[in-house]
Amino acid sequence: MLLYYFKLKIKFLIRLMREVGILRTTILFSIICFIITVLCKIEHKWFIPCLYLLIFNRYNKTRKDKLFITEKIPSACSFFQKEYLILSLPFILIELPKGNWLGIIFILASALLLPYFKSYHFHINPIKLKILYQGNMEYIRMFRQYHFAYILLLIVSFLGCNHGNIRIIKVCMMIWGILQSNAYTHPINREYFTIYKNYNTLQQIILRANIWNILILSAPFITILITYSSLTSEWIFILSYIVSCIFLMQYAGISHFIHQSQFPLLIFLIIYLPVYALSYFIPLANIVSIVYLIIVSFILYKKSKMIWN
């Protein structure tokens, strides 16, 4: 029964990856690999066991198939214990080279006791994101979807800097820059153009919203980076990060007005990503970014010319 259950879970993950798309799946897989690498380097012996308990306690409380399994399987607690023991293997493998036997025992005990934890349901009102640009609903929707990844990247950045590795926060900032572009991966109808007075107003609102949102959500990363290292090279990286993110978001924002389906929009973003990554190390690559922006702006101008005229 457990083997059949895991086969269904694998099929569900494959279907989910197809629906999400290649770009987002690759980004999420890269983030997971990066997080595993960081977890392997953490020396605190209780961090991994506590992380396991928090993650799977949350999973145990929110899983939607719990009632179904409890009704259909006579020994549901035993079934859940076996599942949590199998899912605890990656955490145990991280702790084995460190010789943290007490932490491994804690993980195993947590896996056996988790099915007996009671579920508590709280009603939480959605937080109003007044700090973000209120006219850009696409970005607000993106942040509501990826706020967990944002918080996780902040935590990983802080832990990396605290252990003397400044490169980790730079990688996290680059990843967040890419995740931001998901705000514009949903195509829109042509009727949406009528909200704006003219083409110049459309460009100005997108640019103003992108600059404001990037500066607001980048402030925690920049604060952590400056706190641990205030060298000239770090200030140059911060400037490159802000400029690169503005160009990427402006390119994505204009592109999502051009295409009526999601696939060509994702292709446009994938084509631009190498230029985005290169601009962190070679500032002259921003010239290529400007050329990209001019091209998509011209395409949008030709496409929307008849709407405002």
Side-chain angles (χ1 to χ4, degrees):
M1 183 64 185
L2 186 64
L3 182 62
Y4 180 71
Y5 176 78
F6 275 104
K7 285 182 180 179
L8 288 178
K9 284 287 186 182
I10 292 170
K11 289 181 180 180
F12 172 74
L13 287 174
I14 293 172
R15 186 183 67 185
L16 186 64
M17 287 189 291
R18 288 175 180 173
E19 292 177 357
V20 168
I22 299 174
L23 178 62
R24 294 182 186 177
T25 303
T26 306
I27 292 171
L28 291 173
F29 182 74
S30 302
I31 292 173
I32 291 170
C33 293
F34 176 69
I35 291 171
I36 292 172
T37 306
V38 173
L39 290 176
C40 291
K41 294 183 178 181
I42 294 175
E43 298 179 357
H44 197 283
K45 62 181 181 180
W46 286 108
F47 183 84
I48 302 296
C50 292
L51 182 66
Y52 170 82
L53 181 60
L54 289 173
I55 292 174
F56 283 92
N57 184 41
R58 177 68 178 173
Y59 171 67
N60 182 57
K61 289 178 180 178
T62 57
R63 59 185 304 166
K64 298 179 180 179
D65 58 352
K66 193 172 184 178
L67 181 62
F68 176 79
I69 293 174
T70 304
E71 292 177 350
K72 299 297 180 181
I73 301 177
S75 56
C77 286
S78 176
F79 178 86
F80 291 135
Q81 286 174 342
K82 292 176 183 177
E83 180 189 0
Y84 295 146
L85 283 171
I86 293 172
L87 294 176
S88 67
L89 287 177
F91 296 87
I92 294 174
L93 292 174
I94 292 173
E95 292 296 286
L96 273 177
K98 302 176 184 178
N100 186 12
W101 302 109
L102 191 60
I104 293 173
I105 294 171
F106 180 84
I107 292 173
L108 293 174
S110 301
L112 295 174
L113 294 175
L114 272 174
Y116 298 101
F117 288 3
K118 292 183 179 180
S119 299
Y120 298 95
H121 301 281
F122 300 95
H123 178 70
I124 302 174
N125 294 323
I127 301 173
K128 293 183 179 180
L129 303 172
K130 293 185 178 180
I131 58 172
L132 298 179
Y133 193 86
Q134 296 302 304
N136 194 337
M137 300 305 295
E138 295 92 347
Y139 197 94
I140 294 174
R141 177 185 58 192
M142 179 279 301
F143 188 73
R144 291 189 186 277
Q145 291 176 345
Y146 292 95
H147 69 280
F148 181 78
Y150 177 76
I151 296 170
L152 191 60
L153 289 172
L154 278 178
I155 294 172
V156 172
S157 300
F158 175 75
L159 292 173
C161 290
N162 198 32
H163 285 78
N165 195 341
I166 303 297
R167 293 181 180 178
I168 290 178
I169 188 172
K170 294 181 178 180
V171 174
C172 289
M173 291 170 74
M174 293 175 67
I175 292 172
W176 176 244
I178 296 173
L179 287 177
Q180 289 181 105
S181 63
N182 282 281
Y184 299 112
T185 54
H186 299 277
I188 59 174
N189 297 324
R190 291 180 62 86
E191 291 79 8
Y192 192 75
F193 284 99
T194 57
I195 299 174
Y196 303 97
K197 183 179 179 181
N198 50 42
Y199 175 76
N200 292 331
T201 305
L202 171 64
Q203 286 272 19
Q204 290 172 11
I205 290 177
I206 294 175
L207 181 61
R208 195 184 307 140
N210 289 334
I211 292 175
W212 175 266
N213 292 328
I214 288 169
L215 291 177
I216 290 296
L217 293 182
S218 301
F221 288 106
I222 295 172
T223 303
I224 295 172
L225 181 58
I226 294 172
T227 303
Y228 285 92
S229 177
S230 57
L231 299 175
T232 307
S233 59
E234 314 303 345
W235 287 101
I236 294 173
F237 175 82
I238 291 170
L239 181 62
S240 300
Y241 165 76
I242 293 173
V243 173
S244 301
C245 285
I246 291 172
F247 281 147
L248 173 63
M249 293 299 291
Q250 193 70 8
Y251 175 83
I254 296 172
S255 298
H256 101 296
F257 281 97
I258 297 174
H259 304 287
Q260 300 298 319
S261 59
Q262 192 175 27
F263 182 73
L265 181 56
L266 292 175
I267 295 297
F268 258 56
L269 287 175
I270 292 171
I271 292 172
Y272 184 81
L273 286 180
V275 181
Y276 165 76
L278 195 64
S279 61
Y280 281 93
F281 310 101
I282 305 175
L284 289 176
N286 288 317
I287 298 174
V288 182
S289 301
I290 294 171
V291 173
Y292 272 77
L293 279 175
I294 292 172
I295 292 172
V296 293
S297 298
F298 180 75
I299 295 173
L300 178 61
Y301 174 75
K302 287 293 185 181
K303 187 175 181 179
S304 59
K305 191 175 181 181
M306 296 182 63
I307 295 176
W308 286 298
N309 292 338

